[in-house]
Amino acid sequence: MSAAAPAMNRAALRGANELPAPVSGQRHEIGSSVGRLTYYSASPETPGKFPPLLLIHSINAAGSAYEIKPLYEHYRASRTVYALELPGFGHSDRGKREYTVRMMTDAILIAIGEIQNDHGRSPIDALAVSLSSEFLARAITEAPLAFRSAALVSPTGFRSSDGSTKWRDGTRGKPWLHALFEFPLWSKGFFRLLTSRAGIRYFLNKTWGSRDIDEGLLEYDYLTTRQPGAQHAPYYFVSGFLFSEDITRIYHSLTLPVWMSHGVRGDFVDYTNKTQVEGRANWTIRVFSTGAMPHFEAEAEFIAAYDTFLAGVPSASAL
């Protein structure tokens, strides 16, 4: 079990409102067009030669910056790292409102603006997990000069059924399904049932493709789903409103160096449609013998592979 788990168990006993910080470093809160955004940052004692690195968690019932903690804590020793908590998750605004692809993309662009306030306008590296890879890719198309490279970990949009969505606009949202989830009589109760410890363990087992999950992540997932308004963004997620129909086109439009990685176990292993990008000169694809969280399961191997990719990315002065 992660060393963080006992501390989080104590926090749970004191009260669900005491959600611990998911990572170390300085916490920042800013008001924005997408509501209150929270992000974390940390820098090495001696400034390094590497540009800042922005890390973005996945979208699920219990998303938070804890999902990128291994990478954040590793890279803070050599470069400035930022961990963003997207609207509706972690310590960011979880109000009852419409959660959209536009909102998530804007949150990333706002975070980029904050990083530029700290470090100037030189391009940065960015990494996103699962569905957030779609938001990151879209942000890159809208602000290409802000990014040096993109890492997409277990990205969505590459299933065999996704190839036919290339030229469609809109999302896969089902209004009737969202209305069903948010019906006042059971909205909170159903979410509590879905995110019981047993429920979270069940879904993490599917994510890992095994029962050897990260126990610290499970405990943090439980705590974050007990926060007020925790159900609102996930209900938009499970209703399809955060999945873009045009994501294949967005991925195709990326011209910067892209590092894509995924596992081979669990429920998230259909990457049939990656053939559309794996032959492109700017795409590097790495497959790990893990589930959908390779940076937890094979941390050292993952970091070594990512570092090799970054070493081949042109420096900002050469771009």
Side-chain angles (χ1 to χ4, degrees):
M1 177 179 289
S2 166
M8 287 187 287
N9 279 326
R10 290 193 294 271
L13 292 174
R14 290 196 300 269
N17 288 330
E18 297 186 43
L19 182 64
V23 293
S24 62
Q26 184 177 359
R27 174 174 165 177
H28 309 261
E29 287 193 351
I30 57 172
S32 74
S33 59
V34 298
R36 188 189 71 257
L37 274 181
T38 299
Y39 66 94
Y40 296 82
S41 67
S43 299
E45 293 183 4
T46 303
K49 60 180 181 179
F50 305 106
L53 172 63
L54 173 63
L55 302 169
I56 307 164
H57 63 84
S58 75
I59 302 292
N60 55 70
S64 76
Y66 197 101
E67 293 180 344
I68 45 79
K69 183 173 184 175
L71 301 177
Y72 179 97
E73 302 299 348
H74 170 80
Y75 282 108
R76 66 165 295 173
S78 59
R79 64 198 301 178
T80 301
V81 288
Y82 291 82
L84 172 65
E85 294 199 301
L86 291 168
F89 297 95
H91 294 82
S92 290
D93 189 347
R94 301 201 195 199
K96 187 174 182 179
R97 53 189 174 149
E98 184 180 9
Y99 290 88
T100 64
V101 172
R102 182 71 263 160
M103 175 185 285
M104 299 301 178
T105 304
D106 284 347
I108 294 173
L109 294 173
I110 290 166
I112 291 297
E114 293 296 309
I115 295 172
Q116 290 177 334
N117 287 340
D118 293 341
H119 297 275
R121 306 192 70 83
S122 296
I124 71 164
D125 298 315
L127 178 150
V129 182
S130 192
L131 177 55
S132 293
S133 296
E134 297 191 17
F135 311 141
L136 173 59
R138 191 175 298 275
I140 291 169
T141 65
E142 296 179 10
L145 297 181
F147 298 89
R148 187 180 81 124
S149 72
L152 314 179
V153 181
S154 302
T156 53
F158 289 98
R159 298 175 305 172
S160 55
S161 59
D162 291 326
S164 61
T165 66
K166 184 175 181 181
W167 304 113
R168 299 177 188 169
D169 292 324
T171 72
R172 301 174 188 173
K174 297 178 175 63
W176 66 267
L177 184 57
H178 179 262
L180 181 64
F181 282 129
E182 280 282 25
F183 194 71
L185 284 179
W186 55 69
S187 176
K188 291 182 180 179
F190 178 74
F191 188 75
R192 286 295 179 100
L193 179 64
L194 184 71
T195 58
S196 65
R197 279 194 175 86
I200 292 172
R201 184 177 295 277
Y202 173 80
F203 287 110
L204 287 179
N205 287 347
K206 286 180 169 293
T207 300
W208 254 252
S210 79
R211 296 182 178 181
D212 190 22
I213 64 172
D214 186 272
E215 296 292 335
L217 177 60
L218 185 152
E219 291 300 325
Y220 198 88
D221 282 356
Y222 181 78
L223 288 182
T224 196
T225 55
R226 293 309 180 265
Q227 303 307 300
Q231 75 274 23
H232 298 312
Y235 280 160
Y236 275 96
F237 160 64
V238 297
S239 300
F241 284 95
L242 299 181
F243 292 87
S244 298
E245 290 279 35
D246 66 344
I247 193 57
T248 301
R249 177 178 61 81
I250 294 295
Y251 285 147
H252 272 249
S253 70
L254 298 179
T255 58
L256 82 176
V258 179
W259 189 72
M260 171 181 165
S261 62
H262 67 85
V264 296
R265 295 197 319 264
D267 280 12
F268 308 101
V269 295
D270 182 359
Y271 287 94
T272 305
N273 201 41
K274 72 180 181 181
T275 56
Q276 297 199 26
V277 297
E278 64 184 345
R280 291 174 172 254
N282 63 312
W283 282 72
T284 300
I285 300 179
R286 176 64 187 267
V287 180
F288 294 94
S289 299
T290 66
M293 291 284 192
H295 53 296
F296 274 91
E297 286 192 76
E299 180 181 342
E301 182 185 1
F302 182 98
I303 289 172
Y306 185 41
D307 283 347
T308 298
F309 163 76
L310 290 174
V313 176
S315 64
S317 59
L319 292 175

